[in-house]
Amino acid sequence: MLRAHIEKCTVLLGSATPSLESFHNTQTGKYQLIHLTNRVDDQTMPIIRVMDMKLEAQKQKGRDAILSDKLRVSMEAKLKNGEQVILFLNRRGFARSLQCPPCGHVCECQHCAIPLTYHKGDERLVCHMCGYQTITPRKCP
């Protein structure tokens, strides 16, 4: 979006499951929302649950809260019934951001003010908007 603004061009975002930020931008008039009223093969909409992973981390003391309890239990039930489970991760890097579990601080780009993407192999935080990079902090800034 920043590059489109700089280049003064139009951007078309298309998603069956838009980010909360994009959806909010449609509600505030920053983006124009166009509804596609028919789904492929007349499929029903999926059930969506937003989970606060900070609360999950508190509940799952001693374990990394990568998955919410609800998701983990649902996956186990499907697998127990002989069904399959697939998780889609649409991202670059190891994690979309680096967040301090106790306080919730997220490392952001000093130029763009967006969360830095964590690249585990390089132990670096990278801004995929402007290219800024920094080493991964060993303790919460």
Side-chain angles (χ1 to χ4, degrees):
M1 296 306 294
L2 179 61
R3 180 154 185 200
H5 177 73
I6 291 168
E7 301 291 339
K8 295 178 177 49
C9 68
T10 301
V11 174
L12 175 65
L13 301 175
S15 177
T17 55
S19 70
L20 291 176
E21 179 184 22
S22 291
F23 187 73
H24 173 74
N25 286 334
T26 68
Q27 301 302 295
T28 60
K30 186 174 180 180
Y31 295 172
Q32 179 185 359
L33 178 63
I34 299 172
H35 287 279
L36 299 176
T37 56
N38 298 331
R39 290 179 49 86
V40 174
D41 298 329
D42 293 320
Q43 295 290 314
T44 58
M45 289 295 291
I47 297 169
I48 299 171
R49 293 184 185 93
V50 177
M51 306 301 293
D52 184 338
M53 294 307 290
K54 280 175 54 178
L55 293 176
E56 289 293 318
Q58 292 170 359
K59 288 193 304 189
Q60 299 179 28
K61 291 179 183 153
R63 292 188 291 152
D64 287 335
I66 296 170
L67 304 176
S68 68
D69 279 337
K70 227 178 231 265
L71 177 58
R72 187 181 44 74
V73 167
S74 296
M75 289 171 58
E76 288 172 353
K78 293 285 184 190
L79 295 172
K80 187 177 180 180
N81 288 336
E83 297 178 68
Q84 295 179 337
V85 174
I86 186 168
L87 298 177
F88 292 99
L89 300 176
N90 183 19
R91 66 172 186 224
R92 292 190 284 176
F94 183 78
R96 289 180 14 195
S97 64
L98 188 64
Q99 182 179 38
C100 175
C103 77
H105 173 78
V106 174
C107 295
E108 294 183 342
C109 177
Q110 62 186 16
H111 306 291
C112 304
I114 63 170
L116 293 169
T117 301
Y118 174 52
H119 288 262
K120 186 176 182 180
D122 302 339
E123 283 297 316
R124 300 196 69 67
L125 297 173
V126 178
C127 175
H128 289 288
M129 185 69 66
C130 73
Y132 170 77
Q133 295 186 26
T134 186
I135 60 170
T136 303
R138 296 290 160 222
K139 62 180 185 170
C140 182

